[in-house]
């Protein structure tokens, strides 16, 4: 079988699957169970110096579900650990002693002053932890106190704190970035400028998942009132993938190691993050939803796929997708496809017809015998029909090769026709006419 052995910043672990800083990594009991189940590493739930952290005793999570009640997203209003710092540190030391082959990184959040960092870093070093992760991402509770995303949204603060930490510890330093920002490249560049060894992303997205229409309180509701929280789970994966790709293909940060986070639920999710440049991945919501044994499916699935592809190690495919992430204007406009419906698979539900007729390009016709056909002369290959079809591979997109006739325009598919400067779909070209 391929090797999943991971080396991230010199931190070795038997596989690239780490548990992210969150409730699953809050205590020795949890982490021991996770390591016994097979997880490669953990980022210990965020520690701080404030002894007066108090979490709510009511609901801490709001949720978004799919039609089948599958959990798509969680809105979390929990703060950093409310357990004593000394207790956490002693448990970290015990875990590292018991599982020396596993990665143990400690998440930290203290006030944006050099003194507190100088105080807490030696304490963490004494545990023999493998590294620290600076939590500049938490969007609720702690951000209102000038920490978390309040730091992560200001590149100058990121660089400043990263410099402080690097000057006061021998451990590798990972900066955890907030997605609650316009352009993720700027905080990543700041982390690199401050000397950070890597970045991890994304932290949670600031959100309100729902409102109770009886009490008119955001959920989760605490005695009739609610607050914005941090959104995570499968629903944030597209946001995370894009931000990871932006950092991986930015010339200023392309060599900066990335720990990918955000909605990773299956081995395929993990492979996608790694293909976009992540050196490892961190998981939270999937473990909270399905339990620690989900690691078996993550490991076996990734191993099997790598074996089928002929990859002997994770590094063999790390970053392979990055060169294929392009700015829109650099896409190949010589590439033309048309929708095709497999009549043997079609269940005649009509969803493709409805979406195309009402909201797209009127490119699907319905015959009297309820057979749906694509009108090539109207199809612009938007693939919305593929996305709404409930049957896998019933509708596919077929490429038209150069020399084929595009019935939509009557033009031959060739380079001159697909030149964007004269393309009929280019609004600038139409305006010039």
């Amino acid at each position: 079988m391929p090797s999943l052995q991971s080396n991230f910043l010199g931190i070795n672990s038997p596989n690239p699957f780490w548990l992210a800083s969150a409730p699953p990594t809050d205590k020795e009991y949890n982490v021991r169970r996770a390591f016994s189940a097979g997880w490669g590493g953990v980022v210990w739930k965020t520690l701080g110096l404030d002894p007066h952290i108090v979490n709510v005793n009511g609901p801490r999570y709001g949720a978004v579900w799919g039609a089948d009640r599958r959990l798509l997203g969680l809105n979390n209003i929990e703060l950093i650990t409310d357990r004593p710092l000394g207790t956490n540190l002693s448990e970290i030391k015990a875990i590292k002693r018991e599982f020396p082959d596993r990665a143990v990184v400690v998440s930290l959040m203290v006030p944006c002053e050099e003194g507190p960092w100088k105080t807490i870093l030696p304490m963490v070093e004494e545990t023999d932890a493998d590294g620290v992760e600076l939590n500049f991402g938490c969007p609720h509770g702690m951000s209102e106190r000038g920490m978390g995303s309040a730091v992560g949204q200001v590149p100058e603060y990121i660089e400043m704190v990263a410099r402080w930490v690097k000057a006061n510890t021998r451990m590798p330093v990972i900066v955890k970035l907030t997605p609650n920002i316009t352009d993720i490249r700027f905080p990543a560049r700041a982390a690199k400028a401050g000397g950070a060894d890597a970045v991890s992303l994304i932290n949670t997205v600031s959100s309100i998942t729902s409102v109770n229409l009886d009490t008119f309180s955001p959920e989760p509701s605490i005695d009739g009132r609610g607050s914005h929280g941090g959104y995570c789970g499968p629903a944030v994966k597209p946001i995370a993938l894009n931000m990871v790709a932006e950092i991986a293909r930015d010339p200023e940060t392309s060599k900066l190691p990335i720990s990918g986070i955000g909605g990773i639920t299956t081995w395929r999710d993990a492979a996608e993050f790694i293909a976009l440049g992540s050196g490892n991945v961190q998981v939270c919501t999937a473990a909270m939803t399905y339990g620690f044994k989900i690691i078996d499916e993550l490991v076996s699935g990734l191993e099997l796929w790598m074996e089928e592809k002929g990859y002997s190690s994770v590094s063999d495919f790390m970053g392979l997708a990055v060169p294929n992430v392009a700015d829109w204007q650099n896409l190949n406009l010589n590439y033309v496809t048309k929708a095709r419906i497999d009549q043997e698979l079609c269940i005649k539900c009509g969803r493709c017809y409805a979406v195309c007729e009402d909201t797209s390009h009127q490119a699907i016709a319905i015959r009297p015998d309820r057979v749906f056909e694509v009108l090539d002369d109207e199809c612009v290959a938007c693939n919305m029909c593929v996305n709404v079809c409930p049957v896998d591979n019933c509708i596919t997109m077929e490429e038209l090769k150069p020399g084929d006739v595009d019935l939509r325009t009557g033009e031959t598919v060739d380079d001159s026709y697909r030149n964007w400067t004269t393309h009929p779909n280019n609004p600038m070209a139409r305006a010039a006419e």
Side-chain angles (χ1 to χ4, degrees), residues 32-100:
R32 177 177 288 106
R33 286 174 53 82
F35 283 165
S36 297
W39 288 87
V42 300
V43 181
W44 203 276
K45 184 172 170 64
T46 306
L47 310 184
L49 291 172
D50 187 348
H52 304 296
I53 297 295
V54 179
N55 275 292
V56 296
N57 288 314
R60 298 183 183 184
Y61 304 102
V64 174
W65 298 277
D68 59 355
R69 187 69 181 183
R70 184 172 301 175
L71 188 67
L72 300 181
L74 279 179
N75 178 16
N76 156 41
I77 63 169
E78 186 169 295
L79 302 181
I80 67 174
T81 185
D82 52 11
R83 302 170 69 238
L85 177 60
T87 300
N88 277 291
L89 293 172
S90 64
E91 291 182 359
I92 292 168
K93 188 169 187 175
I95 282 290
K96 190 59 190 175
R97 186 184 304 115
E98 185 175 349
F99 297 93

Side-chain angles (χ1 to χ4, degrees), residues 324-335 418 420:
N324 297 324
V325 181
D327 292 335
W328 194 97
Q329 64 267 26
N330 295 323
L331 297 178
N332 179 17
L333 294 170
N334 298 316
Y335 183 75
R418 286 304 180 190
W420 180 239

Side-chain angles (χ1 to χ4, degrees), residues 220-234:
S221 178
I222 308 297
D223 193 26
R225 305 185 76 182
S227 176
H228 73 280
Y231 195 49
C232 57

Side-chain angles (χ1 to χ4, degrees), residues 186-201:
F186 293 107
R189 291 171 185 172
K192 181 182 178 183
D197 299 290
V199 292
S200 60
L201 69 153

